[in-house]
Amino acid sequence: MTATATEVRPYTRRISQIERGYLNAAATGTPQLIQMVVEGEGPLDPEAVREAVRAATLASPGMAVRRRAAAWRADGPLPPVVELPWEAGHDHPFFHRDLDVVTGPVCEVGLASQGPTTRLVVRASHIVTDGRGLRQWIADVFRVLRGEEPVGADAVVDDTHFRAAAGDVPPAEPPARIPGLPAILGTGPADGTPLWLRRRVPARPSAVTARVAAALSRHLAGDTGRLVVPVDLRRHDRSVRSTANLTSQLVLDLRRDEEWKALHGRIVRALLAKREVAALSRDFLRQNPFANNLREAQELDGTRFPCTAIITDHGRIDTDELRTDRFRPTGFSTLPMLVPYAEMFLSACRIGDETELTLSCRNRPGAHEAGERLLDAVADALTTAV
């Protein structure tokens, strides 16, 4: 479905520094995508979902943009809704095709059902949105399905707004460039596709990021590793509703056998110092700790990485936002993307009294077994009360 002349989306915003970084990553040939999966009991009518997607996107026009020179303009196609066979697993082409930010669409929805069980998959370009932005849009889709008005997110601010909103930010030295760290998960050539491993843990502990990272530190190939923690810049102005990519990052060195409480303290201190904001003031081409240009990024051969892991915690998922009068959500998970400079990407979220984990890494010999062992250790760390 395409927007009609009466459905004008007057929305234009500048391509930000953060988004340019993702454009550079995409230029290496690695799709930069966010994928979120909602599973539940009860039906979701495809035509009703299409209408809800249309209404939610008109309220959040950043989900239908196209690149126009140095800006995003909401003149792109609305996110299509694709009906998938129930047996479509993670090897199905739907989960691997890229989304073109020049032609659009920059978002699409997959819908599969079998009997009373339904699965909704939302895929979006991480170049134009982030986890918080996409979840706001998904919540609006379900609002429309419940017969409510979408809240919308039409702000056109970029990261410069949040730099100002953060106030005084102490300068921070950029992380030192380090030699590539040896791979932990498997050996030999990768086939270019992500391997996704999921684990649901019967626990909802505090400090999930630190606990996951501490468990990972016991599997490092050497004495050190490097960790990236994504941070939502919206925390500096919670009045802004935007679907843009407003995620900066903390870069932390990881020591072998690090205790989670010490690591959590380092993360908290970095947040208090607004280190993720300070990072935005660096010269991207000269002070990038991973790759200063496209050539350096393309030279990463998948056997050594300047970053061990990206760990993101989506927090508690409000399942009431994902209900309709006939559909009851039973699960929510993400399928993290491959990142050229990082060996793995670990995503976590809390659903009720459980924590959902997904690990993404390159599909290579031994990676599946090594990834399962790592998830065993992470699950043990999350269920340990100490």
Side-chain angles (χ1 to χ4, degrees):
M1 181 184 298
T2 57
T4 67
T6 61
E7 296 174 334
V8 177
R9 292 162 274 151
Y11 173 101
T12 301
R13 64 178 173 82
R14 184 182 70 92
I15 297 176
S16 70
Q17 174 182 320
I18 291 173
E19 292 163 339
R20 289 188 182 282
Y22 283 82
L23 283 168
N24 290 341
T28 68
T30 305
Q32 301 297 289
L33 300 172
I34 305 175
Q35 305 196 66
M36 295 184 172
V37 183
V38 181
E39 297 167 303
E41 297 297 322
L44 290 172
D45 176 69
E47 286 306 313
V49 172
R50 289 187 177 94
E51 176 57 26
V53 163
R54 183 194 69 82
T57 306
L58 294 178
S60 295
M63 298 305 297
V65 294
R66 289 190 285 192
R67 184 180 183 180
R68 292 292 180 263
W72 302 116
R73 185 176 301 165
D75 61 358
L78 296 172
V81 177
V82 180
E83 295 180 58
L84 299 170
W86 177 257
E87 61 275 11
H90 292 160
D91 57 347
H92 192 280
F94 177 79
F95 293 93
H96 298 276
R97 65 191 184 200
D98 206 354
L99 296 172
D100 192 325
V101 297
V102 175
T103 64
V106 295
C107 178
E108 64 180 351
V109 177
L111 191 61
S113 61
Q114 183 179 59
T117 307
T118 300
R119 180 185 304 124
L120 182 81
V121 182
V122 181
R123 311 176 74 246
S125 172
H126 205 343
I127 301 171
V128 304
T129 191
D130 59 10
R132 179 61 59 83
L134 187 58
R135 283 174 57 190
Q136 288 177 160
W137 182 81
I138 293 172
D140 263 355
V141 170
F142 277 91
R143 285 189 182 97
V144 177
L145 288 170
R146 291 193 298 269
E148 304 169 11
E149 289 295 317
V151 175
D154 59 358
V156 295
V157 300
D158 57 32
D159 53 62
T160 58
H161 170 84
F162 296 94
R163 291 192 220 182
D168 292 334
V169 177
E173 285 295 318
R177 296 286 294 273
I178 59 175
L181 300 161
I184 299 170
L185 303 178
T187 59
D191 66 8
T193 62
L195 170 66
W196 289 303
L197 302 174
R198 287 179 57 187
R199 187 72 58 90
R200 183 171 285 193
V201 182
R204 52 172 186 175
S206 61
V208 169
T209 298
R211 292 176 187 267
V212 171
L216 169 63
S217 75
R218 277 108 182 112
H219 293 253
L220 293 174
D223 293 331
T224 62
R226 180 154 279 181
L227 180 68
V228 165
V229 178
V231 180
D232 182 5
L233 292 172
R234 295 173 186 82
R235 75 188 187 101
H236 299 291
D237 184 355
R238 298 187 185 278
S239 68
V240 172
R241 284 187 61 87
S242 169
T243 58
N245 186 343
L246 296 170
T247 298
S248 188
Q249 58 182 223
L250 300 177
V251 180
L252 301 168
D253 288 327
L254 187 63
R255 296 182 287 271
R256 187 173 183 83
D257 297 333
E258 186 149 13
E259 295 299 325
W260 74 264
K261 290 182 180 179
L263 184 53
H264 181 61
R266 288 207 283 137
I267 293 172
V268 170
R269 288 191 294 275
L271 291 172
L272 290 174
K274 306 172 189 175
R275 289 259 301 278
E276 85 284 3
V277 179
L280 297 174
S281 299
R282 297 179 191 137
D283 186 328
F284 182 81
L285 294 179
R286 294 179 176 83
Q287 297 177 318
N288 188 311
F290 304 117
N292 285 345
N293 52 53
L294 181 59
R295 179 186 57 78
E296 287 185 3
Q298 291 173 329
E299 287 175 352
L300 297 171
D301 63 4
T303 61
R304 299 181 70 87
F305 300 90
C307 173
T308 307
I310 301 171
I311 301 178
T312 187
D313 179 12
H314 292 277
R316 185 182 72 87
I317 303 300
D318 184 355
T319 53
D320 285 340
E321 289 188 338
L322 306 174
R323 294 177 182 271
T324 73
D325 58 349
R326 301 179 65 193
F327 177 81
R328 181 181 67 87
T330 57
F332 179 96
S333 61
T334 68
L335 299 175
M337 64 188 185
L338 295 180
V339 175
Y341 58 78
E343 179 177 5
M344 69 188 82
F345 198 142
L346 279 148
S347 172
C349 61
R350 256 100 54 223
I351 306 166
D353 292 328
E354 298 180 308
T355 299
E356 182 79 38
L357 298 168
T358 313
L359 167 66
S360 172
C361 65
R362 286 152 184 79
N363 191 19
R364 71 170 92 235
H368 189 283
E369 296 79 6
E372 292 288 1
R373 288 193 296 271
L374 176 58
L375 285 178
D376 287 342
V378 171
D380 184 63
L382 297 183
T383 54
T384 300
V386 177

